[in-house]
Amino acid sequence: MTAAQRAGLREALVAGYRLLHQGRPAVEAVEATIRVLEASGLFNAGVGARLQLDGARRMDAALMDGHGLRAGAVAAIQQVRHPITAARLVMDETAHVLLVGEPATRFARHFRLERQRSPTRAQWKASRAAAEIRQARGSFQRTLRLYDAMRSGRAGKLGTVGAVALDREGSVAAGASTGGIALMLPGRVGDTPLIGSGIYADDETGAVSMTGWGESIMRMAVAKEICNRLAAGVTPSTAARLVLEKLIRRTDGAAGALVLSPNGRFAIRHTTPRMAAGYWGGRGEPVIADRFA
Ligand code: GLY
């Protein structure tokens, strides 16, 4: 983790906690936290989101309020600075849960969400996806390289941002925002906007936000699986450990989880060597690290 990323995480934790301290709902704190990370350009979300193989930046985000099981999400949205706020608007302003593609982008425009420009030709040329394509010769070879990379898990680099929070009323919320994985086919959607896979929140069990290789997380509906274990009385740490072990065993996947129960117990666990993350309850300094148990 760079010093700038550490500072970005700190700013995000402070922004979220400030709202909780003022008595605002957990879902607002989660949105505010993720907005700081999206705006920073230092993570794979919002301004820093990766490009797909056609040079487009398509982003996914989701937000869930454990009070009433309300949820909103967007997938493959373009040209917005804060996909998490688009997800919030889907939750608050529509009777739906998930909007995708160009209609999701138009929805964000309708609500006058802050825009970000499409990647320039220079940005595309400098991207890793473009470098991979340049190295390959011919479309068949390119396709093989792409799938080799995906199969070997190189496409599953971390960088998705997420947050979970517990408010004074005892409600939990979870959110996540991402630019996806490296070497994505145009139109690929990962776990992040899928409720139950990338995030889940239920005041009766807890809140979970995932990062990692979406194709493995989706196949196990990991966020809901962790919540199911919390419902069975398992602690956040054990629930995360058991489900991540299963993820490796059954899907050869890679992921990190933020898990918070309504009684305030929480865990940060990852199967990857590192996961930049932090937590703060308002006392002392926020704890930020790139390796957790
Ligand atoms: N976890 C983010 C993604 O796979 O898109």
Side-chain angles (χ1 to χ4, degrees):
M1 176 173 25
T2 65
Q5 284 172 326
R6 184 176 283 277
L9 282 176
R10 188 185 186 287
E11 187 188 340
L13 285 166
V14 170
Y17 181 77
R18 187 176 296 141
L19 291 170
L20 295 172
H21 187 64
Q22 291 166 2
R24 305 301 304 166
V27 72
E28 249 179 59
V30 167
E31 182 193 1
T33 303
I34 291 175
R35 280 178 65 95
V36 171
L37 300 172
E38 286 176 335
S40 72
L42 299 168
F43 301 93
N44 174 26
V47 174
R50 285 197 169 102
L51 308 185
Q52 295 193 329
L53 282 171
D54 60 355
R57 180 180 284 124
R58 299 183 183 86
M59 298 162 287
D60 305 331
L63 190 62
M64 186 160 186
D65 183 354
H67 182 71
L69 300 181
R70 297 186 322 124
V74 288
I77 195 169
Q78 294 189 61
Q79 295 164 354
V80 295
R81 200 171 161 83
H82 293 295
I84 194 67
T85 297
R88 171 97 192 255
L89 287 166
V90 172
M91 181 176 82
D92 286 349
E93 304 293 335
T94 79
H96 310 309
V97 169
L98 174 60
L99 293 184
V100 305
E102 174 55 25
T105 305
R106 283 206 304 272
F107 173 81
R109 274 195 206 128
H110 172 78
F111 284 97
R112 299 182 189 284
L113 290 195
E114 246 181 292
R115 290 167 77 156
Q116 69 163 311
R117 293 214 176 108
S118 293
T120 61
R121 207 166 159 65
Q123 283 172 318
W124 164 240
K125 277 188 171 167
S127 72
R128 180 171 160 205
E132 291 281 342
I133 288 174
R134 272 199 302 274
Q135 277 171 24
R137 296 205 207 306
S139 62
F140 181 63
Q141 194 180 348
R142 186 163 73 222
T143 306
L144 283 183
R145 282 178 64 91
L146 174 66
Y147 285 106
D148 275 354
M150 285 186 160
R151 271 210 314 270
S152 69
R154 274 200 296 130
K157 296 287 182 224
L158 296 180
T160 296
V161 304
V164 292
L166 168 66
D167 64 29
R168 276 189 199 161
E169 307 300 321
S171 276
V172 292
S177 179
T178 190
I181 57 175
L183 306 177
M184 282 172 290
L185 286 174
R188 178 264 184 193
V189 171
D191 60 299
T192 300
L194 304 183
I195 304 302
S197 285
I199 67 162
Y200 201 73
D202 177 354
D203 282 3
E204 293 181 6
T205 56
V208 177
S209 179
M210 299 300 301
T211 180
W213 183 33
E215 277 69 7
S216 65
I217 297 168
M218 283 187 270
R219 282 182 280 145
M220 275 185 44
V222 167
K224 185 66 167 72
E225 170 128 8
I226 292 176
C227 279
N228 289 347
R229 306 232 179 181
L230 296 177
V234 173
T235 64
S237 178
T238 304
R241 180 175 57 77
L242 292 173
V243 176
L244 290 178
E245 281 171 6
K246 181 175 167 185
L247 182 94
I248 294 172
R249 194 173 68 247
R250 299 295 305 276
T251 71
D252 198 21
L258 307 173
V259 186
L260 175 64
S261 69
N263 65 12
R265 293 183 79 167
F266 70 93
I268 302 173
R269 287 196 89 103
H270 48 102
T271 67
T272 46
R274 289 172 194 284
M275 173 175 167
Y279 56 90
W280 199 35
R283 287 211 198 111
E285 271 293 300
V287 176
I288 295 164
D290 60 6
R291 202 176 282 211
F292 293 83

